[in-house]
Amino acid sequence: HILFTPEFGTFGEYCPATVFVVTDDEWLAMSAEKSGAPSVRYADFKQTRLIEYALALLSGHVVLESGETSESSCVLRFNLTSSDLFRDALVDVLAADPGAVPGDPSGLPGFAALSMGLQSSLAEAMMPGDRCIDLVAWSRTDVSGAQDRIDLQPGGLLLTEQYVCLFAVEDPATVVVPSDLAHYNRGVVYLRRDLPIAAGKEAHGELDKLTLTVGEGVHASSVSVFLPHAKKDEITRFLALLG
């Protein structure tokens, strides 16, 4: 894959021109501001411990984390006309089999009760050839406090043979502030299961803050999410499956 994104602006944001190259076993990203030398980042697939693919209204971004913790993340922004091209490239970075059938999460407990938006995001998160193991999902109806409903983004955790997937999507019908454009956001974060994954929780009223860390020492990445305290038993079961 060789993906070029020209510089563009959207809703006050400026995005520099980028080139994203994916080979058989590594990726390379180049970014060029209007002045100065372009920055270059690259890594082997096996060194890439966290990948995020997200869409927000008319644009999207890919985040790749590798190397030492002190290094900044590699962030590639694109408009929605390129979203499918970037997703296809990430199938290779995630070492999935593009010719295989994607895993089917529909048989997991609780899938049928999810909103259409959550079901769609979950289906999009599945990589070809992967197998679903467990699912925990939540929505704003799982909490009663007004501030907790603002802080909580509908989403869930999906455990597959190869990844822990944190997915999120906004349901416009439950948005607290109708003018907030964030309700168009959706995306998924992939944590590789062939690396150590640790979890920590903090109580925040009706919510718990769950932090997942993939990797060890100076080669680690973390992602945090608020989820309903009422889901604690399901989360305990989910984390136990990680070993």
Side-chain angles (χ1 to χ4, degrees):
H1 306 268
I2 302 177
L3 305 181
F4 168 65
T5 300
E7 64 178 357
F8 70 96
T10 175
F11 285 93
E13 288 190 33
Y14 166 74
C15 299
T18 60
V19 175
F20 185 45
V21 179
V22 177
T23 69
D24 287 341
D25 53 16
E26 65 182 5
W27 57 266
L28 179 146
M30 291 177 286
S31 176
E33 300 283 354
K34 292 183 177 180
S35 61
S39 61
V40 180
R41 296 288 300 274
Y42 63 91
D44 188 280
F45 293 166
K46 294 181 179 180
Q47 297 173 327
T48 309
R49 54 187 176 264
L50 180 151
I51 295 178
E52 177 181 359
Y53 172 79
L55 304 176
L57 195 56
L58 299 178
S59 63
H61 67 256
V62 167
V63 177
L64 304 109
E65 294 192 3
S66 59
E68 295 191 359
T69 304
S70 58
E71 297 180 40
S72 60
S73 304
C74 177
V75 181
L76 299 168
R77 299 183 182 275
F78 53 86
N79 60 39
L80 293 194
T81 59
S82 304
S83 60
D84 288 344
L85 298 177
F86 275 87
R87 191 181 186 283
D88 288 346
L90 291 183
V91 169
D92 287 327
V93 176
L94 289 163
D97 180 0
V101 176
D104 182 8
S106 62
L108 296 176
F111 179 86
L114 299 181
S115 67
M116 185 176 295
L118 284 173
Q119 289 186 2
S120 297
S121 291
L122 188 55
E124 290 177 356
M126 287 306 307
M127 286 292 107
D130 207 357
R131 183 177 70 86
C132 300
I133 297 174
D134 197 16
L135 167 69
V136 179
W138 53 84
S139 67
R140 287 196 169 91
T141 58
D142 292 317
V143 295
S144 58
Q147 185 58 49
D148 288 335
R149 288 195 173 207
I150 293 175
D151 293 337
L152 182 67
Q153 184 177 19
L157 287 166
L158 173 68
L159 181 66
T160 74
E161 284 188 332
Q162 300 182 49
Y163 302 99
V164 174
C165 305
L166 170 61
F167 63 96
V169 65
E170 287 290 359
D171 182 352
T174 67
V175 170
V176 179
V177 183
S179 60
D180 185 3
L181 294 179
H183 69 259
Y184 292 97
N185 297 356
R186 58 194 174 98
V188 57
V189 177
Y190 298 90
L191 307 179
R192 289 180 45 186
R193 287 195 64 193
D194 58 344
L195 297 173
I197 297 179
K201 287 195 296 182
E202 299 176 13
H204 291 262
E206 285 190 85
L207 301 178
D208 287 337
K209 182 181 180 181
L210 176 68
T211 299
L212 297 173
T213 301
V214 57
E216 292 180 301
V218 297
H219 297 91
S221 296
S222 296
V223 60
S224 297
V225 62
F226 283 110
L227 48 85
H229 183 68
K231 296 287 184 177
K232 63 177 182 178
D233 291 340
E234 294 178 53
I235 292 297
T236 299
R237 180 201 71 214
F238 183 97
L239 296 178
L241 294 174
L242 287 176

